Amino acid sequence: MILHRALQLFGIAALLACGHLAWQASPWGGEGWSRPRLLYAMAGAVSACALIAIGGLGVTLRRQQRMMEQMRALLERLQDRGRG
């Protein structure tokens, strides 16, 4: 769980860094439009979004696993009541 949250935090930090790089590639944050820098920033943003998604999938899978364990325990209790 901690690894998944760390992946998400690292992805958010990388996304912010890519946003800063994209800002520097624009006329407002730099000297003018820099296509290579903008392309580099967008490629990094895709990777950062992938890290965020992978972390989210891990958190969701762990949550589902806990719910399955609770459902199994409930099913066992109901079966024991039916027998006894």
Side-chain angles (χ1 to χ4, degrees):
M1 185 81 144
I2 294 173
L3 174 66
H4 298 123
R5 291 296 183 192
L7 280 174
Q8 286 181 324
L9 288 174
F10 187 70
I12 290 170
L15 197 58
L16 290 173
C18 290
H20 179 68
L21 189 61
W23 174 259
Q24 289 176 340
S26 72
W28 304 286
E31 297 175 6
W33 287 108
S34 174
R35 289 181 189 155
R37 184 177 275 185
L38 192 58
L39 179 63
Y40 185 67
M42 292 304 119
V46 170
S47 299
C49 288
L51 283 176
I52 294 169
I54 290 169
L57 285 173
V59 170
T60 302
L61 287 174
R62 180 66 181 141
R63 189 177 301 141
Q64 281 185 331
Q65 186 179 10
R66 269 191 259 128
M67 288 174 58
M68 291 279 292
E69 290 171 2
Q70 290 173 352
M71 288 173 40
R72 282 188 189 125
L74 178 63
L75 181 61
E76 286 177 9
R77 279 188 286 165
L78 290 174
Q79 287 175 346
D80 288 343
R81 265 191 208 166
R83 291 181 197 152

